[in-house]
Amino acid sequence: MARGLFITLEGIDGCGKSTHARLLARWLRRKGFSVLCTDEPTDGLVGRTIKRILKGKLHVPVEVEVFLFSADRAWHLANVILPALERGWVVINERYVGSSLAYQTARGASERLVRKANALAANPDLAFFIDVSPEVAAKRVRRDRKPDEFERDTELQRRVRQGYLRQVRRGELRYVDGNRSKEEIQAEIREAVEKKLRSTCLSGRQKAGT
Ligand code: ADP
Ligand code: TYD
């Protein structure tokens, strides 16, 4: 596979993914790494259709949702993520296969279908699940902006959280307790990233294009 490091951040809406992507990127850049922060759904052709669904402007069966998210992901991998990894960059992606496994199964799709639709997606080197209760997350989201269709549904958020916890039990996601201060959470994430960087021999001096 590629030379860089592929990190994903997962969790229910408002758990702190953007906050920790930003803090982690800043820290890695200071160490000399080239970092790409990106997220799903994307602003590509399929991603834009997904965003219309999230705004409640378009309704499709959940099986179609599964394929839309996996198609958007395939586009994202081919055009954004893999080229950056091949150049040796650290890629921090907010949401990935873990989101489809958590959200689309919570919305009624079978786990088998989600796994099949995502069978070709590259595995991340590190995948974090930032866990907060739906109540805490909803309060954080409301402070910031208008919630989307999925965010308004607290019962859905509860099932999504259970879906994430199943992935943690399988060893697919690394559990991070999100009910602490930003500083404590970020320290735990950095420690795991540092360990991974050491084991993959990617050092701060190995910058983009070198
Ligand atoms: P997400 O990207 O998962 O939707 P954000 O990073 O946008 O979440 O965080 C949502 C809100 O919660 C923001 O206002 C952010 O500053 C705040 N926040 C994030 N992490 C924490 C934390 N550990 N404690 C308190 N507030 C937090
Ligand atoms: P996100 O962009 O994280 O929302 P925001 O920026 O508003 O916090 O994600 C949008 C929504 O898409 C979120 O509710 C989760 C959902 N989603 C899925 O249902 N399946 C997926 O595979 C992905 C990537 C996201």
Side-chain angles (χ1 to χ4, degrees):
M1 232 252 306
R3 293 190 298 141
L5 193 76
F6 184 22
I7 300 168
T8 61
L9 297 176
E10 294 282 2
I12 61 175
D13 306 285
C15 71
K17 294 179 296 300
S18 306
T19 302
H20 290 290
R22 202 173 49 246
L23 293 172
L24 184 61
R26 198 197 296 160
W27 176 70
L28 285 166
R29 285 188 184 119
R30 261 195 252 117
K31 282 171 152 308
F33 290 98
S34 294
V35 183
L36 173 77
C37 285
T38 185
D39 63 341
E40 296 181 14
T42 70
D43 287 322
L45 189 67
V46 184
R48 289 202 300 274
T49 303
I50 292 172
K51 286 178 183 178
R52 293 188 59 209
I53 297 172
L54 293 169
K55 282 187 187 143
K57 290 184 179 158
L58 194 66
H59 294 277
V60 297
V62 69
E63 288 76 17
V64 176
E65 259 178 40
V66 170
F67 288 112
L68 286 174
F69 279 110
S70 64
D72 185 43
R73 188 161 297 130
W75 180 91
H76 197 200
L77 277 163
N79 292 289
V80 180
I81 298 173
L82 294 177
L85 290 174
E86 270 148 27
R87 287 198 301 270
W89 287 39
V90 178
V91 175
I92 304 172
N93 190 21
E94 285 176 52
R95 301 198 176 283
Y96 194 59
V97 178
S99 284
S100 288
L101 281 166
Y103 282 79
Q104 274 59 58
T105 59
R107 288 169 57 74
S110 77
E111 189 180 320
R112 193 159 161 261
L113 179 73
V114 179
R115 288 198 186 270
K116 271 195 164 175
N118 287 280
L120 297 180
N123 283 329
D125 296 298
L126 274 172
F128 295 98
F129 165 52
I130 305 172
D131 185 31
V132 295
S133 70
E135 289 76 19
V136 169
K139 265 191 218 136
R140 290 184 189 170
V141 169
R142 268 197 293 274
R143 246 190 280 140
D144 263 24
R145 57 183 162 75
K146 201 167 145 256
D148 69 26
E149 286 286 292
F150 290 7
E151 287 164 349
R152 266 193 282 273
D153 188 344
T154 316
E155 195 42 51
L156 172 72
Q157 298 290 326
R158 216 175 294 288
R159 290 198 302 275
V160 168
R161 177 170 179 263
Q162 291 306 322
Y164 275 130
L165 289 172
R166 276 197 299 278
Q167 296 176 64
V168 170
R169 285 196 290 274
R170 285 209 183 99
E172 294 168 339
L173 296 177
R174 194 186 174 101
Y175 185 88
V176 175
D177 179 358
N179 296 300
R180 297 170 293 165
S181 71
K182 292 178 192 175
E183 292 71 24
E184 281 174 287
I185 298 166
Q186 181 61 202
E188 184 177 329
I189 292 174
R190 285 180 186 176
E191 197 183 316
V193 171
E194 188 141 53
K195 223 179 196 173
K196 196 67 172 181
L197 285 168
R198 249 186 269 126
S199 72
T200 55
C201 303
L202 196 68
S203 78
R205 282 179 301 280
Q206 190 179 336
K207 295 174 194 159
T210 61

